[in-house]
Amino acid sequence: MSSKLIPRRMLLISLMGLAGCGFAPVYSTSNGFRGRVAFETDESVAGFRLREQLEDRLGRSSAPAFVLKATVQSSQRSAAITSEGDTSRFNIIGTATWSLRDTTSGQIIDSGEVEAFTSYSATASTVATQATQDDAEARLSVILADLIVSRVLVLSLEPVQ
């Protein structure tokens, strides 16, 4: 019998034991907020991208029980400077401030602020640099949305009325 086979069997037995423990995946389509949240974001490209990512993760609601309001701010900093003084890499730092409100009572259930960064290279042509900057800003929206959704989904572990 192979020595690799024994640890694999133990892993499978352990996983089978966890399957019956009552844990449920938090990112499943049956979480407490799926399809029950309306989103309010900035009227900007960053706000649109954030809303798009939030809707992708929590679903679009036709009759929302909750409203998630988020504002995005970003700044850009030089990350790498050549010996000639040219900037060859930039960091985009983004902060999203959010609050989750119950539409019935108007009570704020939770709120917070998440921060992330991403980078892009500025060593190619102007068009290529603009394309990498746009891509970095889109990636930043994905990261910020994921951070917000992770915090909101923790709330779904508690029974939602």
Side-chain angles (χ1 to χ4, degrees):
M1 187 179 282
S2 170
S3 63
K4 291 183 180 180
L5 192 57
I6 295 172
R8 287 183 188 166
R9 284 185 182 167
M10 293 177 75
L11 176 67
L12 286 173
I13 291 170
S14 299
L15 290 175
M16 288 171 36
L18 282 176
C21 71
F23 287 120
V26 73
Y27 288 107
S28 73
T29 57
S30 61
N31 68 58
F33 290 105
R34 183 90 183 151
R36 300 180 67 198
V37 181
F39 303 100
E40 295 178 5
T41 57
D42 305 330
E43 291 189 22
S44 64
V45 173
F48 174 80
R49 287 178 175 156
L50 183 67
R51 173 190 291 232
E52 182 179 49
Q53 295 302 318
L54 291 168
E55 286 178 348
D56 184 51
R57 280 141 180 82
L58 292 176
R60 188 175 280 186
S61 176
S62 58
F66 306 96
V67 174
L68 192 146
K69 183 176 182 177
T71 57
V72 181
Q73 295 179 331
S74 65
S75 62
Q76 183 172 284
R77 294 189 187 140
S78 299
I81 300 174
T82 65
S83 58
E84 291 84 28
D86 297 326
T87 302
S88 62
R89 190 149 190 86
F90 290 95
N91 283 346
I92 301 175
I93 299 97
T95 304
T97 306
W98 62 275
S99 63
L100 182 68
R101 183 173 38 89
D102 186 321
T103 57
T104 307
S105 67
Q107 177 184 357
I108 293 179
I109 297 168
D110 200 8
S111 62
E113 184 176 278
V114 294
E115 184 177 279
F117 78 95
T118 188
S119 300
Y120 69 94
S121 178
T123 57
S125 68
T126 305
V127 173
T129 299
Q130 184 62 50
T132 58
Q133 181 180 359
D134 292 345
D135 182 63
E137 290 170 351
R139 288 192 319 267
L140 184 62
S141 294
V142 171
I143 296 167
L144 291 172
D146 285 346
L147 290 170
I148 292 170
V149 168
S150 294
R151 291 198 168 83
V152 167
L153 288 180
V154 168
L155 298 172
S156 74
L157 299 176
E158 300 172 7
V160 178
Q161 305 300 326

